[in-house]
Amino acid sequence: MSATPEDRPGYELAFLLLAGFRTLIDELHAELARQGHPHMRPAHGFAMQAIGPHGTSASDVGRRLGVSKQAAGKTIDRLEELGYTERVNDPADARRKIVRLTPHGIDALTRSAMIFDRLRARWATTLGVDRLADLEDALRMVAGPAGLRIDTISWLSP
């Protein structure tokens, strides 16, 4: 017999939300590995989102992720080693470097988006389209106007 809604411990909500997130991310990365991106990690996806389609500076990546420029630089270094990013001269300021996604990085993000769509469709089949839409709407409501944030990586780090 399951607990009534009033009897459920408060902490369980956070763990269930984390478990749902972890399930999606683990399935995403398993599929990315099968599709040619075996070294992608969740932190890489957050960093690549922070870099964006037009590129940006390492300092901006750090600000967007909520980490130091040095921490962002380490992640960018790793992404560069893996072929997902490159550093190029800023056309507006020769003293400044811009980090941008390579075709390999763009491929990883494009595949991620398609995989997330398939995972969402599977959740819709499991939960029902209306229940999933209700869940998404409820999460948007409690997340507030800030909505989707990519600075979560700093929040989860020690």
Side-chain angles (χ1 to χ4, degrees), residues 24-157:
L24 287 170
I25 297 302
D26 287 350
E27 290 177 13
L28 166 75
H29 284 275
E31 185 58 29
L32 278 173
R34 284 189 286 277
Q35 293 187 23
H37 297 280
H39 302 292
M40 279 287 297
R41 299 293 174 261
H44 298 156
F46 282 104
M48 290 166 64
Q49 291 294 330
I51 292 166
H54 305 294
T56 192
S57 69
S59 295
D60 285 341
V61 172
R63 268 191 295 284
R64 291 174 186 168
L65 294 176
V67 299
S68 69
K69 179 182 175 183
Q70 292 77 14
K74 285 179 75 171
T75 301
I76 292 165
D77 288 345
R78 181 65 179 143
L79 288 171
E80 197 166 11
E81 289 169 17
L82 295 171
Y84 292 109
T85 62
E86 63 185 354
R87 288 180 173 101
V88 296
N89 290 327
D90 183 342
D93 183 350
R95 299 167 295 168
R96 186 173 175 225
K97 293 284 187 182
I98 296 292
V99 179
R100 68 179 181 198
L101 300 175
T102 63
H104 189 56
I106 293 167
D107 180 68
L109 287 182
T110 301
R111 289 175 186 273
S112 293
M114 291 186 296
I115 295 165
F116 273 130
D117 286 343
R118 285 196 299 271
L119 291 171
R120 186 189 181 283
R122 196 165 76 216
W123 278 41
T125 299
T126 301
L127 298 173
V129 173
D130 291 338
R131 279 182 78 193
L132 180 57
D134 288 345
L135 174 63
E136 291 169 329
D137 291 344
L139 290 171
R140 278 187 192 92
M141 186 183 308
V142 297
L148 304 173
R149 295 174 51 183
I150 61 173
D151 66 347
T152 304
I153 190 169
S154 66
W155 183 77
L156 290 171
S157 299

Side-chain angles (χ1 to χ4, degrees), residues 6-39:
E6 299 82 27
D7 294 335
R8 295 177 184 177
Y11 69 85
E12 190 174 69
L13 174 60
F15 284 127
L16 288 170
L17 289 168
L18 181 60
F21 174 78
R22 177 77 190 259
T23 298
L24 287 170
I25 297 302
D26 287 350
E27 290 177 13
L28 166 75
H29 284 275
E31 185 58 29
L32 278 173
R34 284 189 286 277
Q35 293 187 23
H37 297 280
H39 302 292

